Amino acid sequence: MLMLRFLSTVALALSLPFSAAFAADSASSLAAIEKALAHPEMLVAQFTVQKTVPDFKSPLTSTGRLFLWDKHGLFWETKTPFSEAILFTERGVVKQDESGPQAFTENPRIGQIMQSLLSASEQSSDLTRQFFLTAKSDKKGNWSLIASPKSDLISQLISEIALYGNRFIERVTLTDVAGNISRIAFTRTSECTTVPADIAPFFEKAEAP
Amino acid sequence: MTECPSIFLSPRLRLLWILFWCLTLLLAAFFHRGTLIDTDIRAMLPQSDVTREQNAVLSRIADNNARDIIVLVGGKPSEAKAAARAFLASVPQDLVPKQKGSLSLAELRAFFLPYREYFLSPQDAAAADTLSDKAILDRSLKNLYRPVSNSLFSWSDDPLALFTSALMQNNEASRFSQDEELLWLADPDTPGRRLYYLPMKAPEALSISGTKLTQTLAQAKEKVLAAHPDVSVLIAGIPLISEGAADRAAHESTLIGAVGALGIIALTGAFFGEFTPVVLALLTLGASFAFAFAATLLLFGSVHLLTLVFGATLLGVCVDYVFHLLCATHSNLTPQQAVQKLSRPLTISLLSSLIGYALMAVSPVAGLQQMAFFCLAGLVCTFLTVLLLFPEVTRRRPPTRLFLSFAQILMRAPKIQKPGAVAVFCGAVALFALGFGLQLKPANELALLSAAPAELLSAQREAGKLLSGTSPGQFFFVNGQNAEDLLSRCEELVGSLNGLVRQGTITGYAAPCGILPSEKRQRANAAVAHRLNARARELVQRTLGEVPTFAPTAANPLSLETFLDSPLGSAMSAFLVPQKEGPGALVLLKGVTAESLSALSKLDRPGIRFFNSTGDVAVALSLFRSRVTFLVLLAGFVCLVLLRKNARYTFLPALLSILITVGVMGAVGIPYSLYTVLPLILLLGLGVDYAVLLHDSSGKPAAWNSVFLAGSSTLLSFGLLACSSTEALHLFGITIAVGIATVWILTPLLRK
């Protein structure tokens, strides 16, 4: 069990930047955020991650796109400085390799991330129990949410998560215990009604029996 | 010529017996500690020679699972989670294992940092030589740019996250997700559903504050389902199976005992027409049951509930002696004359029954051993009590009218006398036995021993399937002269097991060398990891123009002793089994099927031993069944030789009864198993017993009545045993019941 908890902790680290994005639950300001947020079934966006690592002088920048299909999963594709496409679902992950999308069910923990990214689904309220929250919002619908981990488990990995947005989440700043800071900016966020053709095989693979 | 007085009339022997009886009960009362009645079904399961040798290994496996209860709450995420929490709140908190404090990642980092390069997953080790610079750079950059690193260490210390990959491989945790304090896994059958996993530990004694565990959990389930009707709750575990089996056994022993006793009271009262024989019969049976209980307690430490179920049939056999003596005293014989007359046939009868039970006692089934000893002790007690004490407490009685008229009816029973007719009858029976006996199909004795309710076994299978648990019945035991030897052998075995996993022969395994490699393997890992990490840093430096410093690696690999002191030491110690000759460890298997056993047994070699405990036991039982079959034939031959002068009247009825019983078994589909062969020995004893009594006193009403009463009470007891829900006891009871009924008919039919 000790080993299990440890490994769960390690794996949780992978999911935190996303799950934390839903750390919106308690007070009335949170209700305002919930109200302001769009609840699309499908959503597509571009992202830029700027990561500051204490041992590196220059920030590390990566870019790509994401596609969210509510209750089905999140597709996260890094395009620069390297290529990587991963679909996270509750049952596991699907990664791209030479022969196409491949399902890896051995690590489904990662699937708990992002099922409802940029939408406020039923899972968000569960995840928020893990954080102390400070929320602010203005009349224009802009809002910010600062989340600090409550549990020992998460606090050993993450110091703070800050989210900023309006109708969609626009920025996430994530600070880990080692002092690394990742600033994720989402742009060109829009709702859509169909799964992009190049992403569809990933979902097909994930949902195959 | 005057007959020598029977030794059973000796007052000294009588006194000695009373003292011995009292002493046995007193010793049991004074020296017994702990559980009086054992309800754990596992205590009755058989041991093969192999499993007995390696008891420590099996104990480790059994102890690991013995008290585990699994609760899986399934449903949509939020509802299932709420239901899981409600379930936890509804059960007594001593069932819920205390959460260990969160593991300190800082401590883990500090411990493993110097040893990080000594760990490498098999996949990384295999790919190391073919990894291109581009692949190394890609993987390094992915780890570096990831918003939250998946490595335990800083990027510069583990740029390719090799240590984390090694740690994550082959571990049970990889299937679970953590949601606050709860663990869950995705429902494999329904996308979007989660199964929240609530591990629990049963207390040492199976009931909690007077409420049975099964009932406690069922109440919690009911409560949760009332509040969350859309969730499913699956509850499984060995303690629940034990409790279910014990419940059934308790119910059956009470029923068989009560109905048997009532039957005997009714039979005795109706037959002798007075109260004293009833009291004598009940007192004798009570004394015998108490003696058998005390003697079993002294020898085995506790009496199992299933022994009491089987022991309840003892009433029917023991009361035979009481009937024989009472019938004699109700035929104008003084008690002393009755003892004088009956001591020889009753001694033969006792010996023949003892042989039957003695065979049961040497079987490799712990349960049968205890049952046999219980019956041996009870029979001997009744025999001695009847012959030594009855002359003091009974007196000569004139036969009642009912007694005489019933005997007259019995004596008018038809008989076959002409040798030709007897030969035709024997031929017909032989043909019947041969025709249907050949249709007998052997059964798995181990499966027949299960007394657990089917729904609990089904829940256990379902939970095992969902959780991909390791098999408690099949596993490898690896040992070595020292820790390095042990881990090297473990790696050798794991290499072969990986092949079987790829072929789909098994679905996985859990091995100690998956947690800590041998020092030889660690050195090889370090050489590869060091080279890959250096190359990764170099390539990233070329790309980004800078690379931070990194922590040095320990000069020597991590030893088993040091690892056991680490924060993850408990994960390793769960596999270890201390041995006199050196360290030993278990390698547990997942997804073992009947088809995989052959491939697994081929991996057996010095220092690596495959255990198929259920298979070993099943083989031992089937071998024992063959031996008992041979013994039935041998016992038949011995009886024939001993009774050769009057074999036509004293042996033939028992022989034909056995043949008819075998034919009936084949005709109605009763399997050929240890539990149907062992009764044949008892049947031979009882059949010969009745025939000898009838033959010796042919024409006398007392003999007819005593044989009728003895047969009736035996039939009643074993008939009740045939109603047992434990398949083994059911088969035992039904075989004896069919046999005794046949003896009952054939003995008068073939009389002189």
Side-chain angles (χ1 to χ4, degrees):
Chain A
M1 188 52 79
L2 200 64
M3 178 70 119
L4 189 149
R5 287 195 177 282
F6 161 67
L7 292 167
S8 299
T9 307
V10 171
L12 187 68
L14 299 171
S15 66
L16 275 174
F18 310 107
S19 57
F22 296 92
D25 186 28
S26 57
S28 60
S29 48
L30 293 177
I33 294 173
E34 290 260 340
K35 195 179 169 189
L37 272 171
H39 299 265
E41 194 195 355
M42 288 183 190
L43 181 145
V44 66
Q46 305 293 316
F47 67 78
T48 303
V49 181
Q50 201 166 62
K51 185 176 176 184
T52 310
V53 181
D55 292 339
F56 284 85
K57 289 170 195 155
S58 314
L60 308 164
T61 306
S62 57
T63 61
R65 67 166 170 162
L66 70 85
F67 171 78
L68 173 83
W69 189 3
D70 191 25
K71 294 187 171 66
H72 287 78
L74 171 82
F75 179 77
W76 184 273
E77 183 183 24
T78 307
K79 289 184 171 173
T80 63
F82 53 85
S83 238
E84 185 182 39
I86 305 179
L87 171 66
F88 298 99
T89 75
E90 191 140 284
R91 294 169 78 186
V93 298
V94 177
K95 290 182 194 172
Q96 176 81 35
D97 74 3
E98 296 84 5
S99 54
Q102 297 298 321
F104 294 86
T105 54
E106 80 277 10
N107 208 1
R109 204 168 29 250
I110 297 166
Q112 71 182 294
I113 62 172
M114 307 304 294
Q115 278 282 342
S116 46
L117 182 66
L118 304 179
S119 65
S121 80
E122 57 184 55
Q123 286 163 306
S124 63
S125 59
D126 286 338
L127 293 165
T128 55
R129 291 202 187 99
Q130 302 174 31
F131 298 92
F132 293 110
L133 302 167
T134 311
K136 283 181 189 171
S137 57
D138 64 20
K139 289 176 184 172
K140 291 179 183 172
N142 297 314
W143 53 264
S144 69
L145 185 69
I146 311 296
S148 311
K150 283 179 187 174
S151 76
D152 286 351
L153 192 71
I154 302 171
S155 63
Q156 290 191 69
L157 297 160
I158 303 291
S159 304
E160 187 185 271
I161 303 161
L163 300 100
Y164 307 89
N166 191 303
R167 194 161 166 255
F168 300 112
I169 293 176
E170 291 163 0
R171 283 181 292 134
V172 175
T173 303
L174 195 114
T175 310
D176 70 21
V177 289
N180 300 318
I181 302 170
S182 294
R183 295 184 177 85
I184 309 170
F186 300 103
T187 55
R188 295 163 61 192
T189 306
S190 63
E191 296 176 30
C192 56
T193 52
T194 53
V195 183
D198 60 328
I199 298 174
F202 284 79
F203 283 98
E204 283 163 16
K205 195 78 186 174
E207 288 171 10
Chain B
M1 200 173 85
T2 51
E3 211 174 340
C4 274
S6 168
I7 58 159
F8 297 108
L9 295 171
S10 154
R12 191 175 293 172
L13 197 61
R14 185 181 309 136
L15 186 66
L16 271 175
W17 167 238
I18 293 171
L19 286 174
F20 184 74
W21 187 89
C22 293
L23 190 68
T24 307
L25 265 68
L26 284 173
L27 282 175
F30 277 110
F31 290 103
H32 178 70
R33 296 284 178 273
T35 317
L36 200 63
I37 296 177
D38 192 357
T39 56
D40 189 347
I41 195 70
R42 292 170 306 133
M44 301 298 270
L45 294 179
Q47 288 187 326
S48 68
D49 292 340
V50 178
T51 56
R52 206 175 288 121
E53 270 174 32
Q54 298 288 350
N55 206 27
V57 179
L58 277 176
S59 303
R60 170 59 63 95
I61 301 249
D63 291 349
N64 280 344
N65 301 310
R67 290 170 53 214
D68 287 347
I69 298 168
I70 295 158
V71 179
L72 286 167
V73 181
K76 286 183 179 171
S78 56
E79 192 167 14
K81 184 176 178 182
R85 283 191 164 141
F87 193 97
L88 283 175
S90 304
V91 295
Q93 289 311 293
D94 47 358
L95 282 181
V96 184
K98 298 259 181 305
Q99 291 258 354
K100 288 175 185 167
S102 287
L103 201 67
S104 162
L105 291 186
E107 273 179 40
L108 275 171
R109 280 189 198 104
F111 182 85
F112 283 105
L113 185 62
Y115 300 108
R116 65 193 184 281
E117 290 192 334
Y118 289 108
F119 291 81
L120 201 60
S121 72
Q123 294 80 359
D124 285 336
D129 291 335
T130 53
L131 272 183
S132 65
D133 278 354
K134 184 180 177 307
I136 294 174
L137 181 63
D138 262 9
R139 183 164 164 176
S140 308
L141 291 178
K142 283 173 191 171
N143 286 325
L144 182 58
Y145 279 79
R146 206 182 289 263
V148 170
S149 167
N150 65 343
S151 173
L152 188 63
F153 307 113
S154 68
W155 178 88
S156 54
D157 288 328
D158 189 17
L160 295 163
L162 295 173
F163 178 82
T164 307
S165 298
L167 211 57
M168 297 291 280
Q169 50 120 13
N170 289 333
N171 70 78
E172 58 168 353
S174 62
R175 300 177 54 252
F176 287 97
S177 301
Q178 184 146 6
D179 184 355
E180 296 189 63
E181 81 286 7
L182 300 171
L183 292 173
W184 63 271
L185 67 162
D187 187 334
D189 299 324
T190 318
R193 266 174 62 96
R194 286 181 182 180
L195 297 168
Y196 279 87
Y197 170 64
L198 312 176
M200 298 192 183
K201 229 22 170 196
E204 293 288 350
L206 276 183
S207 64
I208 307 160
S209 314
T211 311
K212 284 190 173 165
L213 186 61
T214 310
Q215 203 181 333
T216 306
L217 294 169
Q219 282 166 357
K221 178 178 175 177
E222 205 176 310
K223 202 170 158 188
V224 164
L225 289 179
H228 305 274
D230 293 333
V231 303
S232 62
V233 179
L234 178 74
I235 305 173
I238 303 286
L240 303 179
I241 291 178
S242 278
E243 200 173 74
D247 262 358
R248 281 190 171 188
H251 175 71
E252 283 173 7
S253 63
T254 311
L255 186 74
I256 293 174
V259 177
L262 282 175
I264 287 166
I265 289 171
L267 210 57
T268 316
F271 226 87
F272 297 103
E274 55 180 328
F275 194 58
T276 315
V278 176
V279 174
L280 282 177
L282 289 181
L283 282 177
T284 310
L285 295 180
S288 303
F289 215 80
F291 180 79
F293 193 93
T296 309
L297 206 58
L298 282 174
L299 192 70
F300 290 89
S302 64
V303 180
H304 199 280
L305 256 181
L306 279 183
T307 301
L308 294 183
V309 176
F310 188 84
T313 62
L314 195 62
L315 298 175
V317 183
C318 287
V319 82
D320 287 6
Y321 300 119
V322 181
F323 286 147
H324 292 323
L325 206 93
L326 287 174
C327 283
T329 54
H330 279 70
S331 315
N332 277 326
L333 289 179
T334 63
Q336 289 73 22
Q337 286 170 326
V339 168
Q340 187 75 32
K341 183 175 158 39
L342 288 173
S343 33
R344 184 180 160 274
L346 288 191
T347 306
I348 293 174
S349 161
L350 175 76
L351 287 176
S352 59
S353 300
L354 291 190
I355 290 170
Y357 285 120
L359 273 175
M360 270 176 74
V362 295
S363 76
V365 186
L368 289 183
Q369 289 166 7
Q370 198 185 87
M371 289 173 194
F373 181 78
F374 189 93
C375 291
L376 280 171
L379 269 183
V380 170
C381 179
T382 313
F383 174 81
L384 291 174
T385 305
V386 166
L387 290 183
L388 291 169
L389 301 183
F390 267 40
E392 296 300 307
V393 293
T394 52
R395 55 199 170 94
R396 183 193 343 221
R397 293 280 181 159
T400 60
R401 188 181 291 173
L402 175 70
F403 188 90
L404 287 174
S405 52
F406 196 82
Q408 291 302 323
I409 294 169
L410 291 174
M411 287 160 77
R412 282 202 292 270
K415 60 179 173 181
I416 306 174
Q417 275 188 313
K418 288 181 183 171
V422 173
V424 169
F425 183 69
C426 290
V429 169
L431 275 177
F432 172 74
L434 195 70
F436 287 108
L438 287 175
Q439 293 176 25
L440 282 175
K441 287 183 183 143
N444 180 348
E445 275 88 355
L446 195 58
L448 297 175
L449 269 177
S450 172
E455 64 273 17
L456 286 178
L457 292 174
S458 162
Q460 186 72 12
R461 275 194 294 274
E462 181 68 13
K465 198 179 95 187
L466 289 168
L467 298 174
S468 294
T470 51
S471 164
Q474 291 79 28
F475 54 90
F476 281 93
F477 177 67
V478 184
N479 62 349
Q481 292 173 344
N482 49 46
E484 180 63 6
D485 197 22
L486 169 75
L487 291 171
S488 298
R489 282 180 178 165
C490 177
E491 283 162 356
E492 189 188 330
L493 172 64
V494 159
S496 307
L497 290 178
N498 283 334
L500 295 185
V501 172
R502 280 193 294 274
Q503 291 164 17
T505 310
I506 55 171
T507 57
Y509 57 84
C513 53
I515 301 173
L516 177 70
S518 66
E519 292 190 14
K520 185 183 170 192
R521 176 70 57 88
Q522 285 187 57
R523 285 201 171 87
N525 286 344
V528 173
H530 191 75
R531 176 170 59 79
L532 290 177
N533 285 341
R535 187 68 183 149
R537 288 187 199 100
E538 191 185 327
L539 292 169
V540 168
Q541 188 170 21
R542 274 191 218 161
T543 309
L544 300 179
E546 57 175 324
V547 73
T549 54
F550 56 91
T553 308
N556 291 310
L558 188 53
S559 70
L560 177 60
E561 202 180 4
T562 313
F563 188 87
L564 287 172
D565 287 334
S566 79
L568 295 182
S570 62
M572 171 60 89
S573 55
F575 287 98
L576 300 180
V577 182
Q579 296 280 292
K580 281 180 191 166
E581 311 80 38
L586 302 169
V587 174
L588 305 175
L589 303 167
K590 295 177 182 178
V592 178
T593 61
E595 290 72 37
S596 41
L597 294 176
S598 156
L600 289 166
S601 60
K602 282 181 189 156
L603 304 182
D604 209 289
R605 64 196 83 159
I608 300 173
R609 187 158 188 185
F610 176 59
F611 277 81
N612 175 13
S613 55
T614 48
D616 289 343
V617 169
V619 169
L621 286 175
S622 68
L623 273 177
F624 191 71
R625 179 212 306 150
S626 308
R627 283 183 206 157
V628 172
T629 308
F630 173 73
L631 282 170
V632 172
L633 297 174
L634 186 68
F637 180 74
V638 171
C639 284
L640 179 63
V641 171
L642 290 175
L643 302 167
R644 61 188 179 281
K645 279 184 188 168
N646 298 302
R648 150 93 167 72
Y649 307 106
T650 54
F651 175 69
L652 195 60
L655 174 70
L656 294 181
S657 300
I658 288 176
L659 289 176
I660 290 175
T661 307
V662 169
V664 169
M665 281 163 58
V668 301
I670 295 173
Y672 168 56
S673 77
L674 185 58
Y675 317 114
T676 49
V677 177
L678 273 171
L680 297 182
I681 296 254
L682 285 180
L683 190 58
L684 182 69
L686 290 169
V688 168
D689 173 25
Y690 296 160
V692 166
L693 267 169
L694 208 59
H695 180 73
D696 281 4
S697 323
S698 192
K700 295 197 176 141
W704 279 92
N705 283 339
S706 70
V707 167
F708 170 79
L709 286 173
S712 306
S713 59
T714 308
L715 191 60
L716 175 69
S717 296
F718 283 102
L720 288 169
L721 189 66
C723 302
S724 172
S725 58
T726 306
E727 193 64 11
L729 297 183
H730 162 73
L731 291 176
F732 202 108
I734 207 161
T735 309
I736 285 269
V738 169
I740 289 291
T742 318
V743 164
W744 217 31
I745 297 166
L746 292 191
T747 307
L749 192 68
L750 296 169
R751 71 188 183 276
K752 197 170 182 177

